[in-house]
Amino acid sequence: MTMDRECVALLPHVCKVLADSGRSLPDDTSLEKLLDWFTGLTSTGRSLLDACPCLSEFISSVIHNTASDPSVLSFTLKLTGLLAATEDSFRLLQEHSILGLAFDSQRWQEAGLWEDPCMRIGWIQGLRNMLQHPLALHFLITTELTKPLLQLQTDASLFVASAANQVLAHILVCFQPVSSEGCHGMKKEENEGRTHACTKAPVAMETDIESLAFSMGTSCEYTAVTMDILEHLKVSLVSKENVHLHQSLQSLKLVALLLAQARTPLRGMLLSTVLGSLEALVTAGHSQQTPLLLDILLTAYSCSDPDERARDRTVSRLVSRMLDTYKPPDLIHAAAAVLRRDHCDLVLTTKAVGILLLPFDIITGLALMSTHSPAAEDQRSSVTEVLNSKASCISVLCLCLTHTPPIAVMPPDFLPCPPVLVVTAVVCLLRLCGGHAPSSSTGSSKACRNVIGCGKMQKCGLEALAALSASPGAKEKISEVFTVLIQYLHNPDSDPTVLHKSYQALVKWMSICTDLSSVGDELRQDLLTVVRKRVCDVRWEVRDSTVEFLGQLAGVCICPESAQETCMSEALLECSTTPLLVEALCDPESYVRASAATALAQTLAHSWQQGAAPTEEQADIVSRLLDILSKDTEGFARRAVVQYFIAWFSTWSSKASPSSPSSFSLLMKSVRSVLSRGCTDLDWEVKVHTLELAQLLLDKALPGHQGSRLGSETHTAPPTSGLTQIPHPYAVGSDQAYTLHTHAGIRSLEQTHRDQANGGGCMEGIDSDLASLLRGLVEQGVVSALLSSLFDCDRPVALKACHLLITLREAICPLSLGALDTSAAQTTVAKVSCELQGWGSGREIRTLLEKKRDRTREAGASEPNRSMGIQGFDRTDKADPEECDRVREEGASEEDDSVCVSVCEVLRSLGLDERLAVLTQSSDHVQNSPLSLLQDILTARGTHTHSDTHPGQEVIVDCY
């Protein structure tokens, strides 16, 4: 990042305006944007004070004026620290007595400015910016700035306290001494990330005496400030009254920050100092501190060194005490935290698993727990008491349900029961939530009543059940799982979200089902009945979930013995689901229509891959989809239609014989309509998806050229056996990727020209092949779609079209053939024509062509020596009359004001590279600049201070 001359010229005026006025700017974010710009400039290594001497004058003027606005003062303190981040600038500011005055907190308190949190934040962040070298650390200690910093660490403002914690952690971590291994024993990333440790702490033999003394002094200063901070933590952690809990929590947050970044020996010093206070907090058992306290203890245990085993035993003992003595719900949260940290300690993990399974044991009556010691009975009693309260019961059970999937896949040594029993417990709990009687009479009846009809519990249980499909022995429970899920689908009181999650769980469990004999005929019939009922539900969310389920189910395939791969939806429901989906295309809700189009693509994928002959049903589907693309008023459905054809084109099987009747012929007949309608759509995402289809056609026609200039546009391959990964049609964006198969035989025109060229030379063959390829793209409507999209008002559409046109130009146009004889190649390829309309993008292209021809004629007249080449260029770029006649017959009527032009001439005349550079810039690249920001500040301040400015008159400021 650099500073141009205009910014250098304006900056002194901006500084003068900010320093002279005592009021803030109308746009309070302008100062932050200005600071961001300065930060980017300093990151390049250049000195801002040398480039802009006005900055030191500005800082001196502001800090001497205590009447300045707090926001301007805060900005000035941050800027001061940013400038002082280098040693040379630090010395320069010290010579002008700026730093001591700027960071004198007592002075700001006496001026009555310290009460503003904005001022305190600026002071803290200024220090943080400055503390990048030993000189800054020395300044911090000699001016005793550690004391106000430690006071701010427990500030009433959470933002101020958090910023102070960050600075204190930065001081200890950035300047921490290197361990006995030295710099060379550290990892490269750690070594490079240190600002001072490896550059100042270890001193080589050739270091001079002055550097040695300075390094030793820095080490002593670091030790002193470290002990001050650690002693403060030791005292502030232990809160004897509830009013000090805020202070204790902030200190815990600082300990957590340090543990995450500190290394030996700092980590050892920290733990040795605060371990006694942490033990006191464990004994006190404040609920607000439990999550953070446990996180600190587990971090201390996991990052310990081999020589710290004694401390490890203390930490492990504290965690174990929390699991033994804490009461629910703190007990459940502690067990969940142990499990989330993937603790390797067998005793702690076993305790945590038992605690999380205990509520299921109580409420379902299943024997999940193996031991019943007196301590365990006390724990069971306290958990039962919590479950009997409806408010706490739901939260505790939901937390336990969330952790059942990782518990079920643990080694047997960690579990008190077989993993399959965990699945049974979740199924029983879901039955209870649905209002069914418990399977065992030993469960807690009061707790059972608390969960009946609870939607939150049902959703959480269904999510857990879906994840448990991957647990050991899950196949044994398929029938039970199906039964409870179908009960939920039948329940008229089920919430739409509950039904959606039931469908998702069904798909998950279907994916592990290799033999449908485990699913009885009665269950299959029940499922078919409920699907037919729900697809006509009065709630559109339920209809949408049902249609989506049918599509996902079609993506699951089973392989019965002595049979071919079969679609799960047909095998399970014993009928085709396509009619239901076709009917859903006419649904009054656009979301449902969109989901129906996506589900149809997933359902028909199997026949597409096999290259099956098109049926009347498929032709009817194509007709309906094209009708949606033309007439549907909602963009969701139109996006889904284009994605349907993208999926179809992407999954067409290369194994199908070109001569055999294939659904691919039906697809190719529809492509031109999809491209022409999609590119003129009002929804920009529909247009982008249409260009993705055009890109598929380009890459299929031009093997070896895909991705040559696309950069991020390059496609990746999806699975060929399942379309369950087709993006949802009303998801924002178009990040999906598709494989671009280069199958020979799909272009009959190309094959014909190759056959004709077999008797000729190599050049004639390549020439004819390129011409036929280009002609095929024109006939399919790819070229016209790209040209019209190039001038689209939506930048993403125009940008993608420009990328694709450059790819086409490099692959087809003669000038990109390199060593080939371009004059011979131009003879055939340049005759390939396309039609330009007399309106819209066609008119713009025709104007560009006329200007290009005028410039060419002028250049030929002024440079006679080059006239031969220019005349040849003009001659070969002219379209063939016969080609134009053929294009007009296939295109517009005689009344249209259209012209026929050479495709190559158009591609070379559009200035695609220059247009790409413009389109790549952000839409606000003019306003989004430092110069615009400086101008805005000057304009806003001038308008703000004018005496004739009316009250309430707004100042328009660019959003930089």
Side-chain angles (χ1 to χ4, degrees):
M1 184 179 291
T2 59
M3 185 185 298
D4 55 35
R5 295 178 181 177
E6 292 176 299
C7 291
V8 173
L10 282 182
L11 190 57
H13 300 287
V14 172
C15 290
K16 186 175 185 301
V17 164
L18 292 176
D20 291 346
S21 175
R23 289 180 291 178
S24 62
L25 294 173
D27 179 11
D28 57 358
T29 64
S30 297
L31 294 177
E32 290 300 322
K33 298 166 189 172
L34 190 58
L35 191 68
D36 290 341
W37 178 47
F38 287 141
T39 303
L41 290 172
T42 57
S43 64
T44 60
R46 62 181 300 176
S47 172
L48 281 181
L49 287 179
D50 293 340
C52 309
C54 61
L55 291 178
S56 60
E57 299 174 8
F58 163 73
I59 293 172
S60 179
S61 173
V62 172
I63 62 176
H64 279 91
N65 181 16
T66 56
S68 297
D69 186 84
S71 63
V72 177
L73 281 169
S74 178
F75 162 77
T76 306
L77 292 176
K78 296 174 187 177
L79 177 61
T80 304
L82 184 65
L83 296 176
T86 61
E87 294 186 355
D88 291 339
S89 297
F90 180 91
R91 292 190 181 95
L92 186 61
L93 292 173
Q94 277 283 66
E95 291 174 4
H96 290 82
S97 302
I98 289 177
L99 294 179
L101 199 62
F103 293 102
D104 185 357
S105 60
Q106 184 64 33
R107 176 171 172 267
W108 300 123
Q109 290 179 23
E110 293 172 356
L113 295 168
W114 199 247
E115 297 301 318
D116 194 320
C118 173
M119 190 67 186
R120 302 198 298 275
I121 283 284
W123 187 86
I124 293 171
Q125 291 184 354
L127 277 181
R128 172 66 176 81
N129 293 337
M130 180 176 61
L131 285 167
Q132 306 296 330
H133 49 81
L135 286 176
L137 179 64
H138 178 73
F139 171 77
L140 178 81
I141 295 173
T142 55
T143 54
E144 298 184 346
L145 295 182
T146 310
K147 293 180 180 178
L149 191 59
L150 290 173
Q151 292 173 356
L152 292 175
Q153 189 258 339
T154 56
D155 194 88
S157 168
L158 291 178
F159 295 105
V160 174
S162 177
N165 271 343
Q166 294 289 341
V167 176
L168 290 169
H170 172 76
I171 293 171
L172 295 185
V173 172
C174 181
F175 298 97
Q176 64 180 312
V178 181
S179 61
S180 57
E181 293 180 351
C183 282
H184 300 290
M186 296 167 57
K187 294 181 179 179
K188 182 179 179 182
E189 294 81 8
E190 295 176 344
N191 196 3
E192 292 176 349
R194 297 284 299 277
T195 308
H196 165 65
C198 283
T199 57
K200 296 294 181 182
V203 183
M205 295 296 295
E206 63 269 23
T207 307
D208 54 39
I209 300 299
E210 182 181 354
S211 298
L212 178 61
F214 186 77
S215 179
M216 292 176 62
T218 303
S219 178
C220 294
E221 289 176 340
Y222 173 80
T223 302
V225 74
T226 299
M227 295 310 300
D228 287 345
I229 295 174
L230 294 184
E231 284 300 319
H232 168 80
L233 281 176
K234 180 180 179 180
V235 174
S236 61
L237 277 173
V238 183
S239 56
K240 297 182 180 179
E241 299 179 11
N242 288 335
V243 293
H244 296 142
L245 278 178
H246 170 72
Q247 175 181 345
S248 180
L249 279 172
Q250 292 303 322
S251 297
L252 281 174
K253 291 177 182 178
L254 179 55
V255 173
L257 272 176
L258 291 171
L259 277 179
Q261 304 175 50
R263 295 187 304 274
T264 305
L266 176 59
R267 185 174 59 241
M269 293 172 58
L270 173 65
L271 289 175
S272 299
T273 304
V274 304
L275 202 55
S277 299
L278 295 178
E279 187 168 2
L281 291 179
V282 170
T283 303
H286 293 292
S287 297
Q288 301 96 317
Q289 299 173 340
T290 298
L292 194 54
L293 178 58
L294 189 60
D295 183 63
I296 289 172
L297 292 174
L298 294 176
T299 301
Y301 187 90
S302 61
C303 67
S304 60
D305 294 330
D307 56 347
E308 298 175 349
R309 292 305 179 195
R311 192 182 302 123
D312 289 348
R313 286 193 292 271
T314 303
V315 173
S316 180
R317 176 175 54 81
L318 292 178
V319 176
S320 182
R321 185 194 298 178
M322 294 176 73
L323 295 178
D324 288 336
T325 60
Y326 274 30
K327 301 296 182 181
D330 289 344
L331 174 66
I332 306 295
H333 285 288
V338 171
L339 213 60
R340 282 195 301 269
R341 294 299 295 264
D342 195 20
H343 218 278
C344 297
D345 185 275
L346 177 62
V347 176
L348 291 180
T349 305
T350 303
K351 279 186 178 181
V353 169
I355 290 169
L356 291 171
L357 291 180
L358 182 57
F360 301 130
D361 183 285
I362 295 171
I363 198 168
T364 64
L366 298 174
L368 299 177
M369 311 305 295
S370 56
T371 58
H372 295 282
S373 61
E377 288 300 325
D378 292 341
Q379 203 171 67
R380 185 183 187 89
S381 176
S382 61
V383 173
T384 302
E385 185 178 347
V386 169
L387 293 178
N388 288 337
S389 170
K390 186 166 186 176
S392 57
C393 173
I394 302 304
S395 61
V396 165
L397 284 174
C398 285
L399 182 61
C400 295
L401 280 170
T402 304
H403 290 83
T404 51
I407 287 176
V409 296
M410 282 185 172
D413 293 343
F414 292 90
L415 301 179
C417 62
V420 71
L421 204 55
V422 177
V423 180
T424 304
V426 175
V427 170
C428 290
L429 189 58
L430 283 171
R431 285 201 184 102
L432 290 174
C433 293
H436 297 275
S439 55
S440 173
S441 59
T442 58
S444 172
S445 58
K446 192 170 183 180
C448 291
R449 288 194 297 270
N450 288 336
V451 302
I452 293 176
C454 179
K456 183 179 179 180
M457 278 287 301
Q458 292 172 350
K459 296 167 192 174
C460 194
L462 289 168
E463 289 176 356
L465 187 61
L468 284 169
S469 61
S471 61
K475 292 182 180 180
E476 303 173 14
K477 296 293 179 180
I478 286 180
S479 180
E480 293 182 34
V481 170
F482 266 53
T483 301
V484 71
L485 291 177
I486 292 175
Q487 287 174 352
Y488 269 84
L489 293 174
H490 269 298
N491 189 351
D493 297 326
S494 290
D495 181 82
T497 307
V498 171
L499 292 173
H500 178 68
K501 293 186 180 296
S502 300
Y503 281 131
Q504 289 180 321
L506 263 176
V507 172
K508 280 283 190 180
W509 281 82
M510 279 297 177
S511 63
I512 68 168
C513 183
T514 56
D515 184 8
L516 290 179
S517 60
S518 56
V519 183
D521 293 338
E522 185 177 351
L523 284 177
R524 295 190 202 181
Q525 188 60 40
D526 285 346
L527 181 59
L528 178 60
T529 302
V530 76
V531 165
R532 285 176 172 168
K533 181 181 75 172
R534 291 302 185 186
V535 83
C536 302
D537 199 285
V538 294
R539 296 166 292 181
W540 72 265
E541 299 94 338
V542 177
R543 300 197 303 274
D544 185 61
S545 297
T546 306
V547 169
E548 186 179 330
F549 163 71
L550 291 176
Q552 292 173 344
L553 197 60
V556 179
C557 296
I558 59 173
C559 299
E561 296 181 2
S562 304
Q564 294 183 347
E565 191 177 77
T566 307
C567 176
M568 174 63 80
S569 58
E570 295 184 7
L572 181 65
L573 302 177
E574 297 181 344
C575 69
S576 174
T577 59
T578 305
L580 293 175
L581 298 176
V582 172
E583 188 176 349
L585 289 175
C586 303
D587 195 276
E589 176 56 50
S590 62
Y591 290 109
V592 181
R593 297 194 297 273
S595 294
T598 303
L600 279 170
Q602 295 167 314
T603 302
L604 298 176
H606 192 61
S607 63
W608 293 341
Q609 292 168 356
Q610 292 178 339
T615 62
E616 292 184 6
E617 184 182 49
Q618 290 183 359
D620 178 61
I621 290 172
V622 169
S623 176
R624 288 172 180 261
L625 292 174
L626 291 177
D627 194 54
I628 290 176
L629 187 58
S630 300
K631 302 176 181 178
D632 203 296
T633 57
E634 296 290 342
F636 305 120
R638 301 197 303 273
R639 292 174 208 162
V641 169
V642 180
Q643 289 176 328
Y644 173 94
F645 288 98
I646 290 174
W648 190 356
F649 200 95
S650 302
T651 56
W652 180 72
S653 175
S654 61
K655 299 178 182 179
S657 172
S659 60
S660 64
S662 168
S663 62
F664 189 70
S665 60
L666 177 62
L667 168 64
M668 296 311 295
K669 292 177 182 178
S670 311
V671 162
R672 188 177 181 92
S673 297
V674 175
L675 291 176
S676 62
R677 300 176 191 184
C679 284
T680 57
D681 200 279
L682 296 178
D683 186 279
W684 74 269
E685 291 189 66
V686 174
K687 290 181 283 190
V688 169
H689 291 323
T690 304
L691 290 178
E692 289 170 0
L693 178 59
Q695 183 172 354
L696 288 173
L697 291 161
L698 269 179
D699 288 346
K700 193 176 285 290
L702 306 174
H705 291 282
Q706 56 262 40
S708 59
R709 285 291 300 270
L710 297 182
S712 62
E713 303 285 331
T714 304
H715 293 280
T716 55
T720 57
S721 60
L723 286 182
T724 54
Q725 296 183 1
I726 292 178
H728 209 277
Y730 38 89
V732 176
S734 57
D735 296 329
Q736 66 274 14
Y738 297 95
T739 301
L740 309 179
H741 306 287
T742 56
H743 304 314
I746 68 165
R747 301 181 301 271
S748 57
L749 285 174
E750 175 191 355
Q751 190 62 44
T752 301
H753 281 267
R754 283 180 176 174
D755 293 340
Q756 293 174 352
N758 285 337
C762 177
M763 178 55 62
E764 289 78 0
I766 296 176
D767 192 12
S768 176
D769 187 40
L770 287 174
S772 64
L773 290 177
L774 185 55
R775 189 175 296 111
L777 292 173
V778 172
E779 292 171 351
Q780 292 165 352
V782 174
V783 174
S784 61
L786 296 180
L787 291 176
S788 64
S789 299
L790 182 65
F791 298 91
D792 197 273
C793 58
D794 290 307
R795 191 172 67 93
V797 179
L799 180 61
K800 190 170 186 67
C802 192
H803 275 297
L804 296 178
L805 284 170
I806 290 175
T807 300
L808 179 62
R809 183 193 65 188
E810 291 185 346
I812 294 295
C813 282
L815 293 181
S816 65
L817 293 179
L820 297 177
D821 183 1
T822 57
S823 61
Q826 289 174 9
T827 304
T828 305
V829 177
K831 292 181 179 180
V832 180
S833 306
C834 66
E835 192 173 23
L836 295 179
Q837 304 297 329
W839 46 269
S841 60
R843 178 182 297 173
E844 294 190 51
I845 296 174
R846 287 162 63 172
T847 302
L848 289 174
L849 290 177
E850 291 172 1
K851 291 180 180 179
K852 179 68 177 291
R853 288 167 180 167
D854 291 342
R855 288 195 300 268
T856 302
R857 282 192 292 268
E858 292 174 3
S862 61
E863 300 182 36
N865 293 332
R866 295 180 57 194
S867 61
M868 292 294 292
I870 294 173
Q871 289 172 3
F873 174 82
D874 285 341
R875 182 179 65 254
T876 55
D877 275 346
K878 290 181 179 179
D880 185 15
E882 296 181 1
E883 182 82 10
C884 290
D885 292 339
R886 184 185 58 79
V887 171
R888 286 195 180 96
E889 290 177 0
E890 298 176 354
S893 62
E894 295 182 359
E895 288 79 9
D896 291 334
D897 181 19
S898 60
V899 296
C900 191
V901 295
S902 167
V903 176
C904 286
E905 181 187 6
V906 172
L907 292 176
R908 281 197 295 262
S909 303
L910 288 176
L912 293 173
D913 296 305
E914 294 80 6
R915 191 175 293 271
L916 179 64
V918 174
L919 289 171
T920 304
Q921 294 177 329
S922 62
S923 58
D924 61 345
H925 67 276
V926 176
Q927 289 79 18
N928 191 1
S929 66
L931 178 61
S932 175
L933 175 64
L934 297 177
Q935 292 171 341
D936 288 341
I937 292 175
L938 291 174
T939 304
R941 176 61 73 194
T943 307
H944 199 55
T945 55
H946 269 317
S947 58
D948 58 348
T949 302
H950 297 291
Q953 182 176 344
E954 293 185 357
V955 178
I956 305 302
V957 181
D958 289 335
C959 185
Y960 161 56

